[in-house]
Amino acid sequence: MCRTANGFDINGFGQLKDGRGNICPMTIILPTIAMEAKTEYVGDEEGLINYFLSKLDEVIHDTKDGLLERFEYICSQSPESAKFMYENGTMEGYIPEEGIRSALKHGTLAIGQLGLAECLQILIGCDHCEPKGMEVAKRIEQLYKDRCAEFKEQYKLNFGVYYTPAENLCFTAMKKFQEQYGIIPNVSDKKFFTNSMHVPVWKNVTCIEKIDIESQLTGYSSAGSITYVELPGSVKHNPKALETIINYAMDKDIPYFAINIPIDMCMDCGYSDEMNDTCPECGGHHIQMLRRVTGYLTGSYKDAFNEGKQQEVEMRVKHSNVQN
Ligand SMILES: [Zn+2]
């Protein structure tokens, strides 16, 4: 399932979920802005943070302009270009005489982000797993949230803060960053930027700690976010532990919580569990590795994702050190 969410519709549908959608998203690469700020600014850390926020504010405004342009372009299309969307109530609110804008105005214009963790490393030398990093993270997310609320009122369109999946951008943005700034420890020493405001995948934190950290930021997002924890396949023998984790996430107000468990299947005998390259049942090597890499289940992530995302998956640690 996709992490996209519909916030409150300013054009009359309120919290209606069905028949609306994410019309256009754009993602801001936070580490690049942080590097630009750091290169340009001379002064102390608080000054740098403020300078960064003012630059980010400009980029958020540019992003808004870009989204409006795209929205207008999409609205200028004929309903015939995607006929099914305007039939059978797929898109709520469609009034033929008014054009497709009548339906699309209920959707979301999403302002996304990539690499909060690396951005914080550049600015202050730690990420939001530390209290100091979390403080700055909240200032960044508050800026996003405030601007989206203002744009929503001003343009009567549903701007929202989006914690972008960035399946491909995590890699392509990093490649560009490395070409410009080289390898910086904790920032660009990998092939991918960390997903949205997630805790970096290689950090040794428990499920509870991961939920504690990310739940402090999920509330800033109205256009969608996901929090996932990685657990070993063996957790299926421990439903009590699963229940504890899920209840904890719900108590912490995580809007969309996911537990990732590897499901590997032997294509020779059908045996299913977490395996490496050999089936413990029949010794076969024809193993399909089903993984939830982003929102969706993916057969063989090796084929489905670029090398940045593959490395990200391989660097994921299990958050399993919970009490059973
Ligand atoms: Zn087998």
Side-chain angles (χ1 to χ4, degrees), residues 21 44 136 148 205:
D44 65 0
V136 182
C148 283
V205 293

Side-chain angles (χ1 to χ4, degrees), residues 266-271 275 278-287:
C266 172
M267 302 309 279
D268 296 328
C269 76
Y271 180 80
M275 305 177 240
T278 310
C279 170
E281 198 66 19
C282 75
H285 298 294
H286 191 196
I287 314 286

Side-chain angles (χ1 to χ4, degrees), residues 297-314:
L297 281 172
T298 312
S300 191
Y301 69 92
K302 288 272 184 194
D303 303 326
F305 292 98
N306 65 34
E307 55 181 297
K309 197 70 196 176
Q310 284 181 35
Q311 188 191 45
E312 193 246 68
V313 173
E314 279 150 18

Side-chain angles (χ1 to χ4, degrees), residues 29 44 60 66 70 88 94 101 124 126 134 137 148-150 153 185 203 219 232 257 259 276 283 290 304 307 314 316:
I29 302 159
D44 65 0
I60 290 175
R70 277 169 67 179
N88 307 315
Y94 177 54
R101 178 187 299 265
I124 57 172
C126 71
M134 180 55 83
C148 283
E150 290 165 23
E153 271 307 315
K203 288 249 170 169
F257 182 63
I259 296 171
N276 291 316
L290 196 62
E307 55 181 297
E314 279 150 18
R316 288 184 187 188

Side-chain angles (χ1 to χ4, degrees), residues 16 20 27 39 66 100 114 120 162 166-168 178 226 264 275 287 289:
L16 178 77
R20 305 169 53 204
T27 296
T39 313
I100 63 174
L114 173 67
L120 293 167
Y162 185 41
E167 284 100 339
N168 289 312
Q178 287 169 338
I226 189 170
D264 301 334
M275 305 177 240
I287 314 286
M289 296 192 172

Side-chain angles (χ1 to χ4, degrees), residues 111-265:
I111 303 185
Q113 60 187 263
L114 173 67
L116 176 67
E118 288 85 0
C119 166
L120 293 167
Q121 287 283 358
I122 295 165
L123 294 175
I124 57 172
C126 71
D127 62 32
H128 51 307
C129 296
E130 317 288 326
K132 183 184 167 190
M134 180 55 83
E135 228 175 89
V136 182
K138 286 179 176 171
R139 290 167 68 182
I140 293 171
E141 302 308 338
Q142 190 65 50
L143 178 64
Y144 263 86
K145 190 179 175 183
D146 290 345
R147 289 298 173 259
C148 283
E150 290 165 23
F151 300 154
K152 191 169 176 172
E153 271 307 315
Q154 188 180 346
Y155 297 94
K156 300 293 177 217
L157 287 169
N158 300 311
F159 282 91
V161 183
Y162 185 41
Y163 290 153
T164 316
E167 284 100 339
N168 289 312
L169 187 65
C170 71
F171 173 64
T172 52
M174 176 59 91
K175 255 176 67 174
K176 277 196 179 159
F177 186 97
Q178 287 169 338
E179 281 163 21
Q180 200 165 357
Y181 300 109
I183 306 289
I184 304 168
N186 298 320
V187 175
S188 56
D189 49 0
K190 305 168 275 29
K191 293 180 180 175
F192 60 91
F193 281 124
T194 294
N195 192 309
S196 61
M197 59 28 148
H198 284 173
V199 170
V201 294
W202 62 88
K203 288 249 170 169
N204 267 310
V205 293
T206 65
C207 311
I208 300 300
E209 288 165 338
K210 192 165 193 293
I211 293 166
D212 281 340
I213 296 166
E214 292 183 10
S215 65
Q216 294 183 59
L217 300 176
T218 48
Y220 291 92
S221 161
S222 59
S225 72
I226 189 170
T227 284
Y228 33 57
V229 296
E230 307 287 328
L231 294 180
S234 58
V235 75
K236 68 185 174 194
H237 306 299
N238 195 346
K240 195 78 203 149
L242 275 176
E243 197 184 324
T244 304
I245 296 164
I246 293 167
N247 285 339
Y248 191 77
M250 295 303 103
D251 288 346
K252 286 279 174 170
D253 233 7
I254 295 276
Y256 181 11
F257 182 63
I259 296 171
N260 295 343
I261 295 165
I263 311 161
D264 301 334
M265 193 199 268

